[in-house]
Amino acid sequence: RTFHGHPRLLSSDVYSQYESIRQGKQEIPKYFNFAGDVLDKWSDIEKAGKRPSNPAFWWINGEGEEVKWSFEELGFLSRKVANVLTKECGLQKGDRLILILPRIPEWWLVKVACIRAGIVIIPGTSQLSAKDILYRLQASKATCIITTDNLAPAVDSVASQCQHLKTKLMVSKGSREGWLNFTEL
């Protein structure tokens, strides 16, 4: 199909792969993991020189600060974060993690890392109160929470009432007692 004379805009490699699966020409995988089955495949294609290195992730904040990662870089960084979550934080496949961050690059890294490691992600807005955080921690039985130094005091005020919470990770330049520093790890 074409879109205003541009044939590539509505057809892609992903669409053609879907068509081959639909027609029974390609086997549907028993288990699918976006990080390994999509992100790592694009990374391999870039490494092999079959496609130029394009940004997989491009973030710009209000002050013009920019972060741009290729598929290879995003894959590498997400594997590092997955290792932090599984080794340093002791999380395993199926464990629950509450993620309360603004949309900063670390938000996407944690999301992809959780997908890679099979960790269940429970997102939350940074406007949550201590009462909201308490409810989510208790209802989900999350064993880990990742947030910023702004919400760390609210988490600390309710953490004693959350028997399943084992690890608190803070995305910050500073440190706080009882918290692991995401950037340092």
Side-chain angles (χ1 to χ4, degrees):
R1 297 182 295 177
T2 63
F3 182 73
H4 298 290
H6 299 282
R8 300 255 325 139
L9 289 180
L10 289 180
S11 63
S12 69
D13 295 339
V14 174
Y15 178 77
S16 63
Q17 288 174 356
Y18 169 76
E19 275 300 303
S20 65
I21 289 172
R22 191 177 69 74
Q23 294 172 5
K25 295 177 185 173
Q26 189 174 7
E27 191 175 317
I28 298 172
K30 185 174 181 179
Y31 299 102
F32 175 79
N33 184 300
F34 174 80
D37 295 330
V38 176
L39 181 63
D40 291 348
K41 293 282 190 256
W42 280 97
S43 177
D44 291 342
I45 290 169
E46 282 184 359
K47 281 190 242 181
K50 295 178 183 174
R51 184 180 176 105
S53 181
N54 287 318
F57 178 82
W58 196 345
W59 176 87
I60 303 172
N61 70 6
E63 288 89 45
E65 180 185 353
E66 181 176 286
V67 174
K68 194 187 298 189
W69 295 320
S70 67
F71 285 94
E72 185 177 354
E73 291 168 321
L74 183 56
F76 173 76
L77 292 169
S78 69
R79 282 188 290 280
K80 283 179 73 169
V81 174
N83 285 337
V84 166
L85 296 176
T86 57
K87 293 181 177 143
E88 303 294 327
C89 301
L91 297 175
Q92 299 174 358
K93 185 176 183 177
D95 284 347
R96 296 171 189 98
L97 176 146
I98 294 182
L99 179 63
I100 308 173
L101 290 176
R103 297 309 177 256
I104 56 176
E106 290 82 359
W107 187 86
W108 279 275
L109 280 180
V110 171
K111 297 279 271 191
V112 174
C114 286
I115 291 169
R116 186 177 293 284
I119 297 166
V120 179
I121 311 156
I122 304 164
T125 175
S126 53
Q127 297 173 330
L128 294 174
S129 68
K131 182 180 175 185
D132 298 326
I133 293 169
L134 173 63
Y135 172 77
R136 283 162 176 75
L137 283 167
Q138 288 178 336
S140 69
K141 299 177 182 169
T143 56
C144 181
I145 189 165
I146 300 177
T147 192
T148 62
D149 50 356
N150 292 339
L151 279 178
V155 173
D156 283 340
S157 71
V158 299
S160 63
Q161 301 171 58
C162 304
Q163 66 185 36
H164 297 283
L165 183 62
K166 306 287 183 242
T167 308
K168 300 180 289 185
L169 230 68
M170 188 170 60
V171 177
S172 172
K173 292 179 180 163
S175 62
R176 184 176 179 90
E177 188 176 333
W179 288 76
L180 297 173
N181 186 295
F182 180 86
T183 308
E184 288 175 7
L185 293 174

